[in-house]
Amino acid sequence: MSIKILIVFICTAVGTAAGYFVMCVYKRNFDYLDGVCKLLNELKRNISYRRDAAASVLGAAAIDSAQLKKNVAEYIAYTGGKADKPTLSRGFLSAETYARVCELFYSLGKSDGNSQLDELEMFLKTFGDLRSAAETKCKKQGAVAVKLGFLLGLGVGVLTL
């Protein structure tokens, strides 16, 4: 009897862990987009008042997402090098998000302050929309994934008895 309970417990734990992993994937995407929005706001503030170089502003920013840190480091390396375009790693980003991020980093420092502010405002709207969609997906589907993982694990555990 105790082995049967142990099997049900293990199956339930595995299912719940799988659901939690799916939730973490949604959260990681949201954290990335949230970090991009924060960086855009910081760049806008800086261009409006101090007008420091974009690489120095990005280098000094506090970034939580590991993928975003990597992308910023790649951009900073690009500004010190002689390449035409920065090469950014895609990581877990969707094709649409990756294309927008590349477009953002390619456009930094390419125009005067007022034009750059207009571009950053456009990017902020775009990434704000992506962030809102990711937040909704994280909250709704993330919680559902954990619950379904639990139920699926419990169901598999009961069916193995």
Side-chain angles (χ1 to χ4, degrees):
M1 182 66 172
S2 64
I3 292 188
K4 292 179 182 181
I5 292 173
L6 182 64
I7 290 172
V8 171
F9 177 75
I10 289 172
C11 289
T12 304
V14 169
T16 304
Y20 182 75
F21 175 74
V22 170
M23 184 184 72
C24 287
V25 169
Y26 291 138
K27 177 94 170 96
R28 179 179 59 180
N29 191 29
F30 169 73
D31 288 343
Y32 184 90
L33 292 169
D34 189 50
V36 170
C37 288
K38 289 177 183 176
L39 281 179
L40 288 170
N41 282 323
E42 182 63 32
L43 283 169
K44 279 179 52 181
R45 271 192 302 275
N46 190 284
I47 289 174
S48 296
Y49 300 109
R50 296 181 60 186
R51 297 199 184 246
D52 292 334
S56 64
V57 173
L58 293 176
I63 302 170
D64 295 332
S65 172
Q67 180 65 35
L68 186 55
K69 281 182 188 177
K70 186 175 183 181
N71 289 150
V72 167
E74 291 165 344
Y75 174 77
I76 291 171
Y78 152 75
T79 59
K82 303 217 187 276
D84 292 339
K85 289 185 174 182
T87 53
L88 302 175
S89 57
R90 182 171 175 181
F92 58 85
L93 299 175
S94 67
E96 177 189 6
T97 304
Y98 179 69
R100 299 289 183 218
V101 168
C102 288
E103 188 180 333
L104 167 66
F105 282 112
Y106 296 162
S107 72
L108 288 178
K110 302 283 188 216
S111 57
D112 66 292
N114 292 333
S115 298
Q116 189 74 61
L117 282 173
D118 292 339
E119 286 180 9
L120 290 177
E121 188 62 41
M122 182 219 26
F123 281 120
L124 191 59
K125 181 181 179 337
T126 301
F127 282 109
D129 293 344
L130 289 172
R131 180 188 167 276
S132 296
E135 182 178 25
T136 302
K137 198 171 195 179
C138 179
K139 285 182 179 178
K140 288 183 179 176
Q141 293 181 2
V144 168
V146 173
K147 292 172 186 172
L148 283 177
F150 173 79
L151 291 174
L152 182 65
L154 184 62
V156 169
V158 168
L159 288 176
T160 58
L161 298 179

